[in-house]
Each structure stands twice: as structure tokens, then as C-alpha cells.
Amino acid sequence: EGLAPFMNPRNAAAGSLKMLDAREVAKRPLQAILYAVGRLEGLDFDQHLQWLDQVREWGLPVSPRLWSCRDLFEVMAALDELERQRHDFAFEIDGAVIKVNERGLYEMLGRTARSPRWARAYKFEPERVATRIDDITVQVGRTGVLTPVAELRPVVLAGSTIARATLHNADEVARKDIRIGDVVWIVKAGDVIPGVESVIQEQRDETVRAFSMPPECPACGGPVTRTGEEVAHRCLNPVCPARLVARLEHFTARNALDIEGLGGKVAEALVSRGMIEDPLDLYDLSVARLALLNLAEDEGRRLLGDKQAAKILAALDRARHLPLARWLAAFGIPGVGVTVATQIAANHEDLRAAFDSPWLRKIVRLQELAEHAPRLNPRAREPWSASRSTAQFPDLPSCFEKACQEIEHLGNELISRDLAKRGMGSSRPSKFICEIKPEVARAMIEFGRSEGGRRLLERLEGLGIRPRGGLRSETSDGPLAGLTFVITGTLSRSRDEIAAMIRSAGGKVTDAVSRQTNFVVIGEAPGKSKIKRAMQHAIPMLDEAQLKDRIERP
């Protein structure tokens, strides 16, 4: 039809699925391969391979090649065989996925925000292509970190045109000896993220120029510093416009407050027009004022409009009722992503409890002691047991013995709490278990104590925003304590919000109905299999009003 051809099948398929007109999508010859299950209702499988066999029996497409491996040697052999066959398939592949077959282990292994821990991706050696670095520019992130970026002569790699690639930090530039004007090898990490692999030294000439990080922020002109052993250079200006734009984009992202319509262009315009100085200033905007926001970059005029402004403010109003985990993820605290925010929120009642958490303080204290104890006694490689250490070295100073005792006490406290949360009783592992890292716990505590953190809490309370976590309090059992709920159907609020409400009252929420379920909360169009299973086990069913009454009942 005279149109530009698609770059590759993957991008064409992804772009097709994002189209709003389903009739246009239907014209395109899309095909699917089913490789995993998102949700199971009314049937169960002990093994992943059993599920794939059932899907194949139903006549649905699955991967043309599967390997069942008994050990890692067979896994390696299968990967080698797949790499030999990779160009024989009717579609492109960039690697393999290795999965645990026993589905019963999935919940125990858990998942991160990006991927499950019971599956791992193995990527083939990436394609690479040579191009020249025309310049190195510097970007400023939401935490003030300055990142050098290679401005490349555009080149096609793995189905897309690459014109820029991150260089990460100044140390990485120095380690690879990258200079402006160099010819370099470009690769895509995981066939997705472009990066500079290495310099082609034999093509370097006298025109190349060395790069150094700027002494001033390129966005605001403020001072730039590098502290301690940190590799990052940071802008110290807290009101740097580049930092504010990045913070605003993070604050409104899908995994945070999910404010649709407030992307990069709108965020940049809000900051450049001086309409906000903090993400929470969004709550001070009216439809009339926001509608007049000029999105044009030059002297032109392109207003946001009433319809889009109303849509953004409606999304902000919905965000008032989001659970604590989503708000924690929105703040941009170092190390507190979606998974960590969910873990912290599940263990605390609200923001004040999370920022002043005795458990986070104990995690930090345990780390401090573990680092300090070897300095008290260089002979102790792992001083977890006071009795063992003092018996082995009777001449140790008393301060070391006290440190060991405190380590053991804190470790036991955190272990028993962690195992109780996992439903594993009181059996004690050989080492301390905790998924919250000390540096993350420290970042949470420092943020809560900072002037910005205190101001944030006051501002949220003034706006009437009080996000709730998974515990009513550290000492209160709550009206739903000891009860397990399953939610099905469409309710007045999202399933996440209803689940957060149940957890904040001391209850537990699971996906599947079982003999351990105490109540099923039903909305419109509930799942038939859940209703059937609830009736089989004589499990009471509640509507949303009845659930609310149980929570608020004195």
C-alpha cells in the first residue's frame, strides 16, 4: 500500500495490540503461543508440564520445543541444542526460559516486581553493530544522579534504530576508555536495552575528545558532587527542574499512582510553566487551570483542554484511596520499588508506622552490629552466636560479647517474625532470613526523619490522604484477625483496595477458595468456580456492605 514496512515482527505485534481500533488489529495476521498461566479457577495442576499438555490437548498453540530436565547438566545440554536450532523456528527467539516444574513451590519461592523467582531467562549472545559516538550528553534523574549518554550516529540493531545509549556513570566511561568521536560496538542487553560494549581501538584517530562530568548541573546550573565511594555524580539542588520532572513521572507511573494522561510532555510543561514545585501540588490544581496548560515547546499554543484535565484530576482523586504500597512506591525512596513497598506495607498500618518502624530499625541495627563485631574481634568471621564465640575465644573484650548477644537476639526476633509471616511455624533456619535489605530499611528511616519526609506526611494529612497498609497496628488484632477472605466479581473499588481494607482490619486475602477460607466477598459477575467451591464447603458469602459492616462493627 506504499506504507513504510515494519522493522520486525515483535515490534509489529506489540504495536498492533496497542491500537485502539480492534477492526484494524483483526486485519493483521497475529498468532500467539501460550507458555504460562496467569490465573486458574476450577482446575489445578501439580506440574507446569501437565498444564502445557492440557493446553495442547485443547488444541491451543504452545512452544514447538520443550525440554524436561532432571538436573543442571541436562539444562545446559538443552540450551546448547536450542541455540543450534534457534534459526529453524518460524519466529525469532533471543534465548530460553528455565522453569521449576513443581507448581507447589511457586508460592514459597515468590517473585520480584519484574519476574517470578521460579523462572530464569537465559539469553543468547546479543547481536552487535559498529557506529560512531558524535557526542556525550548528561541526563539528570529524579534523585539528582547525572548519567552520561552516548549520542550515536543512528544504526539499525535487532530490528530498531539506535541513536542513544546510556554510559551509566563516569567510572564506566573511564573503564571502557570511551571518548567523543570513537567508533564503538553497540549491543542490546537482553535484545532490548542498547549499550556500548567496547571501543574499536584500531579505528580511533586524533580527532577524538575525552569526556568529563560537568561541575554544574546541565539542567539548573546547581553544584554537582560525588560522595564517598559512590559512583554517581549528583545535583544537590532539591528544586532542580529536571529532577522534578523525573519525580513527577515516577509519582504518576502505572506501578505508583497510575495517573493516566500525565506523561512526559505534560510533566515537563507543568514544571516549566511553574505550576508545581512538588508532586503533591497536583492536588491544588483545578480543571479550569489545568486545561489552560500550554504543551507547546516554543512560542506556539497547544492547550491540554478541559477533557484531558478532568481525566487527570479524576485519576488523582481515585489515587487518594490507593493502598499504602502504591504510595510508598510513588515517593521514589531509594531501593523502595514495587516489591519492597508491598512487603513494607504488609507489615505496617500507615505511613507514620512505616517511617518509624521498630522492625526496620532492628534490621539496620543488626547490619551495624554485624559490621562492627569483626572490628572488635578480627578473628570472628561470622559472630552470630555469643556463647560459641566466647567459648572459643575466652579473652575477647566484653563489648564484643555484648555485640554478639544483641546480634543473636535481633536475629532471633526477625527470624521468628519472618517465619510466622510465611506460615512456617517456629522451625529455625541456619541463618537470618529477611527480604528487606539494610540499606533499604535505612533509606526508609532517613526519609521519614528528613524535613522533606515530615513535610510530606503533614501535606498528605492536610489533603485527607491516609493510605492504609496490611496491619491495623503492631499490637491490635483487628476485627478480621484470623479470618481468610477470597474476593470475586466487580465491586465499587478495585480488588487491590478491597484487599488492603481487609488486611488493614487484620484479615488475610487469598486467590483460591479452600477449606481454610472463612468468607467469600462477592461483587457483580462473580467467578462461577469460586461460588461453586464456596457452596461445596459451606463458606459464607458477603457483599461489600456486609464486609464493611463487619470491619466497622464495635
Side-chain angles (χ1 to χ4, degrees):
E1 296 181 3
L3 302 174
F6 293 118
M7 286 294 254
N8 60 51
R10 179 175 60 186
N11 291 358
S16 298
L17 292 174
K18 291 177 182 176
M19 297 179 72
L20 298 179
D21 189 347
R23 292 169 298 181
E24 185 63 30
V25 180
K27 296 177 183 177
R28 302 188 176 186
L30 298 176
Q31 293 179 308
I33 289 177
L34 308 184
Y35 63 90
V37 57
R39 194 179 189 92
L40 280 173
E41 290 193 12
L43 71 169
D44 293 300
F45 298 98
D46 293 330
Q47 296 182 340
H48 182 64
L49 285 175
Q50 291 175 349
W51 178 80
L52 288 171
D53 289 340
Q54 180 64 74
V55 171
R56 189 186 290 108
E57 190 177 315
W58 286 334
L60 298 171
V62 298
S63 175
R65 282 305 313 266
L66 299 167
W67 286 264
S68 177
C69 303
R70 290 171 297 183
D71 53 42
L72 281 177
F73 294 105
E74 291 192 4
V75 169
M76 299 302 175
L79 292 172
D80 290 341
E81 186 179 349
L82 177 62
E83 189 158 15
R84 289 192 294 271
Q85 298 176 3
R86 65 178 295 190
H87 299 296
D88 298 336
F89 297 105
F91 46 84
E92 294 181 6
I93 63 171
D94 62 359
V97 176
I98 306 157
K99 294 183 180 179
V100 173
N101 192 31
E102 301 297 327
R103 292 177 55 84
L105 296 173
Y106 289 5
E107 186 174 352
M108 183 187 302
L109 292 168
R111 61 184 303 118
T112 68
R114 296 180 179 272
S115 61
R117 292 193 179 96
W118 40 263
R120 283 288 182 271
Y122 171 86
K123 298 288 188 177
F124 297 133
E125 190 74 22
E127 297 180 36
R128 63 179 186 168
V129 66
T131 190
R132 189 176 297 275
I133 297 178
D134 287 333
D135 198 4
I136 297 178
T137 57
V138 176
Q139 289 182 335
V140 185
R142 61 182 170 83
T143 60
V145 172
L146 274 60
T147 302
V149 177
E151 305 292 343
L152 308 169
R153 292 193 182 172
V155 63
V156 176
L157 174 63
S160 60
T161 301
I162 309 300
R164 309 180 83 220
T166 179
L167 297 176
H168 303 291
N169 53 64
D171 285 2
E172 186 74 357
V173 174
R175 186 180 69 81
K176 294 182 178 178
D177 189 22
I178 298 171
R179 305 181 190 182
I180 299 169
D182 269 334
V183 178
V184 295
W185 288 115
I186 302 296
V187 297
K188 276 189 177 181
D191 276 2
V192 177
I193 303 170
V196 175
E197 182 186 56
S198 61
V199 174
I200 305 177
Q201 293 286 349
E202 54 268 27
Q203 294 195 39
R204 174 176 285 176
D205 57 34
E206 67 281 357
T207 64
V208 300
R209 293 178 286 121
F211 167 80
S212 60
M213 295 294 286
E216 298 178 344
C217 173
C220 69
V224 170
T225 186
R226 177 176 177 175
T227 58
E229 299 179 358
E230 201 177 38
V231 297
H233 289 71
R234 293 180 186 273
C235 168
L236 298 180
N237 179 10
V239 293
C240 172
R243 292 181 62 179
L244 182 53
V245 169
R247 280 176 59 207
L248 190 56
E249 289 181 304
H250 180 86
F251 186 76
T252 60
R254 181 178 298 176
N255 288 335
L257 300 192
D258 193 18
I259 311 301
E260 188 178 355
L262 215 161
K265 290 288 183 186
V266 176
E268 289 172 11
L270 284 168
V271 173
S272 65
R273 311 292 178 194
M275 293 177 67
I276 67 164
E277 295 180 355
D278 181 271
L280 286 178
D281 290 346
L282 292 169
Y283 282 96
D284 296 334
L285 298 175
S286 64
V287 172
R289 188 178 177 210
L290 187 56
L292 295 176
L293 177 65
N294 188 2
L295 302 179
E297 295 181 4
D298 47 24
E299 297 301 319
R301 182 176 172 84
R302 184 164 68 90
L303 302 184
L304 182 67
D306 291 335
K307 185 176 180 181
Q308 190 67 10
K311 183 179 178 181
I312 289 172
L313 293 186
L316 283 165
D317 191 54
R318 287 194 299 272
R320 290 174 177 271
H321 308 290
L322 288 176
L324 177 59
R326 298 282 288 276
W327 280 91
L328 281 174
F331 295 149
I333 301 168
V336 183
V338 176
T339 300
V340 171
T342 301
Q343 292 167 348
I344 292 173
N347 288 275
H348 299 91
E349 177 187 6
D350 54 24
L351 275 173
R352 286 194 179 276
F355 287 143
D356 192 31
S357 167
W359 295 105
L360 294 180
R361 290 201 301 271
K362 286 175 182 178
I363 291 171
V364 172
R365 178 61 177 160
L366 185 62
Q367 175 71 9
E368 290 172 348
L369 287 166
E371 292 173 351
H372 185 57
R375 290 195 291 271
L376 296 174
N377 171 31
R379 291 173 291 181
R381 295 180 60 190
E382 191 179 297
W384 299 109
S385 171
S387 58
R388 184 173 67 246
S389 298
T390 52
Q392 189 174 359
F393 302 106
D395 60 332
L396 292 179
S398 60
C399 56
F400 177 72
E401 183 179 352
K402 289 178 181 177
C404 287
Q405 289 171 346
E406 190 175 352
I407 287 173
E408 193 161 17
H409 175 71
L410 284 171
N412 286 337
E413 271 197 278
L414 290 165
I415 287 168
S416 60
R417 176 181 173 83
D418 185 62
L419 292 175
K421 297 291 280 183
R422 294 166 184 250
M424 294 169 66
S426 58
S427 59
R428 190 167 179 269
S430 59
K431 288 193 178 182
F432 161 62
I433 298 174
C434 186
E435 293 189 0
I436 305 297
K437 295 180 180 178
E439 54 267 29
V440 174
R442 186 177 288 109
M444 278 286 298
I445 294 167
E446 290 175 354
F447 183 85
R449 290 174 177 170
S450 69
E451 182 183 346
R454 291 195 297 270
R455 192 167 57 243
L456 175 88
L457 282 172
E458 292 171 3
R459 186 86 182 274
L460 285 171
E461 289 174 356
L463 290 166
I465 299 172
R466 298 178 178 85
R468 306 291 290 181
L471 292 182
R472 177 168 281 248
S473 71
E474 289 289 338
T475 57
S476 170
D477 292 332
L480 304 183
L483 301 177
T484 300
F485 294 77
V486 171
I487 304 168
T488 182
T490 304
L491 296 105
S492 66
R493 288 185 279 174
S494 72
R495 190 168 295 191
D496 285 345
E497 292 175 73
I498 298 294
M501 185 171 70
I502 292 170
R503 293 189 185 105
S504 69
K508 180 181 178 183
V509 180
T510 60
D511 288 332
V513 177
S514 68
R515 295 182 187 277
Q516 284 71 47
T517 304
N518 298 107
F519 293 97
V520 175
V521 180
I522 59 171
E524 294 182 16
K528 293 180 180 178
S529 63
K530 286 184 178 176
I531 298 297
K532 181 180 178 181
R533 190 166 292 187
M535 293 175 68
Q536 287 174 345
H537 297 307
I539 297 170
M541 287 177 262
L542 305 174
D543 60 24
E544 194 170 348
Q546 290 170 321
L547 172 66
K548 188 176 180 182
D549 180 63
R550 274 189 163 272
I551 293 173
E552 296 176 352
R553 187 182 300 167

